[in-house]
Amino acid sequence: MKLSRQFTVFGSAIFCVVIFSLYLMLDRGHLDYPKGQRREGSFPQGQLSMLQEKIDHLERLLAENNEIISNIRDSVINLSESVEDGPKSSQGNFSQRAGSPFLPSKKSLTVDPEDCLFASQSGSQNADVQMLDVYSLIPFDNPDGGVWKQGFDITYKLNDWDTKPLQVFVVPHSHNDPGWLKTFDDYFREKTQYIFNNMVIKLKEDSRRKFIWSEISYLSKWWDTIDIQKKDAVKSLIDNGQFEIVTGGWVMPDEAAAHYFAIIDQLIEGHQWLEKNLGVKPRSGWSIDPFGNSPTMAYLLKRAGFSHMLIQRVHYAVKKHFALHKTLEFFWRQNWDLGSVTDIFCHMMPFYSYDIPHTCGPDPKICCQFDFKRLPGGRLGCPWGVPPETINLGNVQNRAEMLLDQYRKKSKLFRTTVLLAPLGDDFRYVERTEWDHQFKNYQMLFDYMNSQPRYNVKIQFGTLSDYFDALDKEDATSRTNSQSLFPVLSGDFFTYADRDDHYWSGYFTSRPFYKRMDRILESHLRAAEILYYFALKQAQKYKISAFLSSSSYTALTEARRNLGLFQHHDAITGTAKDWVVVDYGTRLFHSLMNLKKIIGSSTLLLLLKDKHSYESYSFDTLLDMDLKQKSQGSLPQKNIIKLSAEPRYLVVYNPSEQERTSLVSVCVSSPAVKVSSASGKPVKIQMSAVWNTASTISQTAYEISFLAQMPPLGLQVYTLLESSNSYPHVAEYVLYNGNIENKSIFNVKNMKNAEEITLENSFIKLQFGQSGLMEEMINKEDGETRKVKVQFSWYGTTSKKDKSGAYLFLPDGEAKPYVYTTQPLVRVQRGRFYSDVTCFFEHVTHSVRLYNIQGIEGQSVEVSNIVDIRKEYNREIAMKISSNLNSQNRFYTDLNGYQIQPRMTMNKLPLQANVYPMTTMAYIQDTQHRLTLLSAQSLGVSSLKSGQIEVIMDRRLMQDDNRGLEQGVHDNKITANLFRILLEKRTVVNMEEEKKAVSYPSLLSHITSSFLNHPVFTMTEKSPMPNLQLLGEFSPLLSSLPCDIHLVNLRTIQSKVDGKHSDEAALILHRKGFDCRFSSRDTGLLCSTTQGKILIQKLFNKFTVANLVPSSLSLMHSPSDVRNISEINLRPMEISTFRIQLR
């Protein structure tokens, strides 16, 4: 005993000496370089790199001493009296400094003061039109505008075009939804293939004919079925400017629920396909059908090398306002842009729809007469009662003047004499007769108009880029003092309404099961991409043919395409027919299974001590993923690992670019379980019950949880075995309002009524009411109690004729409280690493969990809801978080997980208009606090009263909402929603700042969101194989990336040969904008910020960078002076792509 005590004291002394010398080294670093506010350029580059080297060296020292230090620390901790129940951390490395392991250290995160300037300056740019101001100005009174119902009467003078003739481009197009009322394959078989086949024939008949196309998913499917002659015909149509690809993404993505990772990925997939098969680089964006438009899309197109774009579905009152002020064409600039680097020219279509009746001019009754598919005798007529007439010599003058009148009126809404007139609709130009009717009749009208000088018109078929080129020319000649004709606009175009109070805020939540599945697939795809590229490099180095010849790259490509297809604006939106939703779900599910295999096989290769032994293991998935999903419509379940006395490997993968300490939980078959690190050291575990029902404990499965410390983007190896001398910390349970007969190893108390329930860790204390719902949060830093109250509520649908459906949210007034007659069963779990409170309501199983972890995951509250409204009738269920923050009518939602858009709840708008899309987060704030709801799935969110955030979690609606779907939403599933609630203390806030059109999350909020969306992956050896030998870890990076830099993807680039990969990958990085003005308590971030600089030679650990070249976002363009770079420099908010080749 004496000896052990001496050893402990000796160990403590060494520990203190090590920590003290590290402190001195760090301190010397601080002395050498005075901090203080520095201006750009005044900091010597040499000193910076010296400091960087010292830090690198220090990190290596720390890593080497890690094992010794943590052993010693364990001995020291054993002396502490509070050992048994205090929160423990078996973290090694640099996460904890001297002093008590339970106290947050103050040294982990260093932010360069210059990195804080961006958020404080940002948003000071001068846009001519700021959408928040536009909303304040518009009365939203919806008067009858005459023939243009939602607009006004347009007049013109006949001599308006005397000096400059009207130049009209009629642009034929066909909008093909990759799934909506039919599946993608059915549409292709019945319609789309004929559009392409007839296009080749009909465009060749007359070189003046033009056609544009956008969805590459369809084009690639057709391309695979046609012969070389047809392929050559398409190429020649592109070369002579008759056929143009617009946008060129895999689909035309939704812009509300889609995450920027997936939007970029489907853009790359489309552009890569075009480069390989057609050698085409699209340059104009075409987004006519997504239900509202996001500036994120504008930014991504700009980064991809586009200069112009077009949008259509914008609130009718906004369209009218823009038409009155002639601001329908503008330069769209990001809210946060301090200059004009993000400007992209945008054309907004002025009228109700993109169909022909609403695109030639303001009067649909007249425009409909110029849609020659609707000629008498066909299946389609004009709802206004007057059909088109075939053009002949007898009527050409009269018809030409009618049409020209519409074009002239439309042109008065714009600032130039160049006019765009789209000519198309959904699935148009299927039959040859339609090609003939449209093109021949219009050509006669054009020939006649062009032959009459008195009309002052030049009219022709054109592509979208023909129009934009003519417009640019006009702008260049009309510029005064280099000032463009067009205004600059900032902001977004949500929430969309197409008429009356019909706001399209329902689809922000519709089919939430698949919105969650989408994000799970995204995190798997990203993990598979990164691990696959690393494994590919090792397979090439060691010549592992079993890996190189595998079908992994084909499966990866298919997964990209299935995820891409789901970004379509009738897929992720939840607005397709039931069986089409199942088709999408089946594709997602199939790819999820394949990605798990790719992650498993790549991990195996990276960790094998003897790479060549891969050949003998590759026949089967040796490493099994932790979660299993039985079908496309069911929730994932944890695998139960069958333990034996033979140890088996358990591997955890950290998909984030920062070193990470996270809790790993797996289910095992026996309570006698031992977990060891790769070096054989036992790891502390918490054992929790696996519940078969709310109140019955499984006798065959046990959940074990332990803290894993993982290198950035790296793999960490543990072993599991059955062992009688393991002493896990067993969680304890209290059950309120229920009864359990306990025959298990767990200590479970039954209690009648819930007295005060509390959970706490070293950062936060939570208080719950009798029904098990959270009511208050106490911040341990200052002891302050804040009301943060969680409640559920119901929305019904209006009793008017038009009711809520897949698209529309038309509630019957404010939400009504969720009523329950008896107190729900409440289950409280308390354990070493996490504690939680779960309450069981009829429609929701609601769980609030607090992690006892130093670092990121201990500082926010995890909320999980399992929602089941399958028996409800015309109801929507919401979760409301109420606080005493004085947020007034302002709140903030993210757009596509990329940026934050401030919102104002307006009384002049109906309730449903104040609901906005939330992709990853929403927050409210006052001068002292910010309350953030972080989300792992896209949903609709609002803040209808000061201090509140409300999120709609699921909706079940029995009727169609008359937008073409012809069904309600009643295919509801049991749906899991996952959130985190983060309450942060703000410092020094100027209230004027709050009125800015821009806002940023804190770094803590960014990383919490990243951890929520990219959870750790756990894999186990399927069955113990005694001769399998794995390395202890795989650590591909030398150190964490800077805290504000996110690795969006490392995506292996295709080769020129079908289905094969090249040696290169697309390295996509995003530097996040963040707000520094939050309490400086320990964030647990083991990274710093570096003003967006990354040194290439200090990036990778196991690989050398053979070359690294900047590229446009989707790999279409390379800079003219292509050369290798040795340093990456990113501006705040910048997303950049690099072509990288590792060896």
Side-chain angles (χ1 to χ4, degrees), residues 82 86 210 234 297 346 369 540 621 646 715 838 867 884 895 934 1009 1041 1089:
S82 60
K210 306 276 180 126
V234 172
M297 194 70 201
C346 182
Q369 297 171 52
Q540 287 170 338
T621 313
E646 273 295 323
L715 296 156
T838 306
V867 178
N884 43 16
L895 287 166
L934 299 135
S1009 176
L1041 285 188
T1089 65

Side-chain angles (χ1 to χ4, degrees), residues 29 90 192 224 278 290 293 349 362 387 406 464 575 633 660 690 897 998 1024:
S90 62
T192 310
D224 291 343
L278 290 170
N293 294 92
M349 291 167 62
Q406 289 300 305
L464 185 59
T575 55
R660 174 168 177 176
V690 172
V998 67

Side-chain angles (χ1 to χ4, degrees), residues 312-328:
Q312 149 60 21
R313 288 196 186 265
V314 173
H315 194 301
Y316 61 87
V318 173
K319 287 191 172 211
K320 177 181 173 179
H321 178 85
F322 279 26
L324 279 164
H325 293 86
K326 293 195 178 184
T327 52
L328 289 161

Side-chain angles (χ1 to χ4, degrees), residues 1045-1080:
I1045 291 181
H1046 170 54
L1047 187 142
V1048 179
N1049 210 343
L1050 182 63
R1051 185 187 202 269
T1052 308
I1053 294 173
Q1054 66 184 19
S1055 76
K1056 299 283 181 272
V1057 189
D1058 269 358
K1060 295 277 182 273
H1061 54 77
S1062 68
D1063 281 350
E1064 287 187 309
L1067 170 69
I1068 310 175
L1069 298 173
H1070 171 203
R1071 182 176 173 200
K1072 300 184 172 192
F1074 63 93
D1075 190 336
C1076 293
R1077 291 163 300 182
F1078 290 90
S1079 151
S1080 58

Side-chain angles (χ1 to χ4, degrees), residues 198-401:
N198 289 324
M199 172 193 80
V200 173
I201 296 161
K202 292 295 167 188
L203 290 187
K204 280 174 84 176
E205 286 178 6
D206 186 337
S207 62
R208 295 170 297 181
R209 295 178 179 179
K210 306 276 180 126
F211 194 62
I212 64 170
W213 188 267
S214 129
E215 300 79 12
I216 303 307
S217 48
Y218 276 126
L219 183 58
S220 80
K221 190 172 175 65
W222 176 65
W223 196 256
D224 291 343
T225 68
I226 60 173
D227 58 27
I228 193 78
Q229 284 78 17
K230 256 188 194 159
K231 288 180 180 177
D232 289 342
V234 172
K235 287 174 184 170
S236 74
L237 289 170
I238 286 172
D239 289 344
N240 69 16
Q242 281 185 266
F243 180 42
E244 184 187 21
I245 303 293
V246 287
T247 312
W250 201 245
V251 296
M252 186 186 291
D254 169 56
E255 299 183 21
H259 191 279
Y260 78 95
F261 169 89
I263 298 176
I264 292 171
D265 206 63
Q266 63 83 37
L267 206 56
I268 293 177
E269 195 55 39
H271 290 173
Q272 286 269 283
W273 187 90
L274 286 169
E275 179 191 298
K276 181 163 126 188
N277 294 285
L278 290 170
V280 168
K281 299 181 193 305
R283 56 197 185 99
S284 301
W286 175 257
S287 178
I288 56 172
D289 202 23
F291 326 133
N293 294 92
S294 166
T296 304
M297 194 70 201
Y299 177 71
L300 298 178
L301 290 177
K302 174 76 175 184
R303 295 297 293 161
F306 286 69
S307 50
H308 301 81
M309 63 182 291
L310 173 148
I311 61 177
Q312 149 60 21
R313 288 196 186 265
V314 173
H315 194 301
Y316 61 87
V318 173
K319 287 191 172 211
K320 177 181 173 179
H321 178 85
F322 279 26
L324 279 164
H325 293 86
K326 293 195 178 184
T327 52
L328 289 161
E329 293 185 313
F330 50 85
F331 286 100
W332 199 347
R333 179 178 297 171
Q334 299 302 308
N335 272 329
W336 44 265
D337 186 358
L338 293 166
S340 56
V341 60
T342 62
D343 290 13
I344 181 170
F345 184 86
C346 182
H347 171 101
M348 182 190 293
M349 291 167 62
F351 307 122
Y352 171 76
S353 166
Y354 55 80
D355 62 7
I356 298 170
H358 295 94
T359 46
C360 88
D363 189 344
K365 182 180 178 180
I366 290 173
C367 292
C368 194
Q369 297 171 52
F370 294 90
D371 178 357
F372 295 100
K373 184 185 166 79
R374 300 177 194 251
L375 283 166
R379 288 190 298 270
L380 195 61
C382 277
W384 295 270
V386 188
E389 293 174 19
T390 302
I391 305 300
N392 55 45
L393 290 175
N395 67 6
V396 67
Q397 177 180 347
N398 166 292
R399 305 307 280 178
E401 286 175 358

Side-chain angles (χ1 to χ4, degrees), residues 639-643 667-671 690 692 697-703 744 746:
N639 278 338
I640 296 166
I641 301 161
K642 298 253 181 300
L643 294 176
C667 286
V668 293
S669 58
S670 159
V690 172
N692 291 336
I697 293 178
S698 166
Q699 304 294 315
T700 55
Y702 305 84
E703 185 196 71
S744 71
F746 297 96

Side-chain angles (χ1 to χ4, degrees), residues 451-471:
S451 71
Q452 303 295 317
R454 67 179 192 279
Y455 291 156
N456 284 320
V457 66
K458 184 182 174 229
I459 183 165
Q460 65 199 71
F461 290 119
T463 62
L464 185 59
S465 293
D466 289 340
Y467 168 72
F468 283 136
D469 289 345
L471 197 67

Side-chain angles (χ1 to χ4, degrees), residues 1078-1140:
F1078 290 90
S1079 151
S1080 58
R1081 71 172 181 202
D1082 173 44
T1083 53
L1085 290 167
L1086 308 175
C1087 49
S1088 56
T1089 65
T1090 58
Q1091 291 178 268
K1093 288 187 179 59
I1094 300 175
L1095 289 169
I1096 304 305
Q1097 70 270 32
K1098 298 216 170 157
L1099 193 51
F1100 294 100
N1101 175 19
K1102 297 263 185 288
F1103 306 93
T1104 54
V1105 179
N1107 59 56
L1108 184 87
V1109 184
S1111 160
S1112 65
L1113 181 66
S1114 62
L1115 303 167
M1116 276 201 304
H1117 306 282
S1118 296
S1120 46
D1121 55 336
V1122 173
R1123 61 177 195 280
N1124 254 322
I1125 55 169
S1126 59
E1127 182 178 271
I1128 289 173
N1129 282 288
L1130 300 175
R1131 290 187 294 267
M1133 296 302 290
E1134 182 178 322
I1135 302 177
S1136 280
T1137 299
F1138 303 86
R1139 285 176 179 269
I1140 190 169

